Amino acid sequence: MDFRDSPSQAAFRAEATAFLDAHAPREFRSYTTEGADMEEVFREHVAWQKTLAAHGWGALTWRKQYGGRGLGPTEQIIWNEELTRRG
């Protein structure tokens, strides 16, 4: 089985990487971060979700008429891999 990206998957990965490089928070704190102000963490998460939605990354597999991109599970996996690489 060949797990390498196809040309279209590689293009999608490059698009995802470029978006994350340009827009992802440099530090993404979680609710488990010691000493974190929960209200501030919540605001950061909401801001990130709004950024994702504004750029079409909020719901990759949803149909376009519902605000998604109409992509498949492979693109969702690629997106999740790229998100994971950034912590």
Side-chain angles (χ1 to χ4, degrees), residues 7-42:
S8 65
Q9 292 166 347
F12 178 78
R13 188 179 301 278
E15 180 187 358
T17 299
F19 171 80
L20 290 168
D21 287 347
H23 298 284
R26 297 293 169 230
E27 178 186 23
F28 198 75
R29 297 180 302 155
S30 76
Y31 293 104
T32 60
T33 302
E34 187 176 333
D37 177 334
M38 292 302 106
E39 289 183 25
E40 186 176 339
V41 171
F42 178 76

Side-chain angles (χ1 to χ4, degrees), residues 64-85:
K64 290 181 181 180
Q65 65 263 37
Y66 299 116
R69 293 182 74 174
L71 300 174
T74 301
E75 290 81 9
Q76 184 68 60
I77 290 167
I78 291 169
W79 173 249
N80 291 345
E81 288 175 347
E82 295 309 312
L83 281 174
T84 300
R85 287 183 210 282

Side-chain angles (χ1 to χ4, degrees), residues 49-68:
Q49 290 300 316
K50 286 181 179 183
T51 298
L52 290 172
H55 294 276
W57 292 96
L60 299 180
T61 60
W62 289 13
R63 293 181 183 165
K64 290 181 181 180
Q65 65 263 37
Y66 299 116

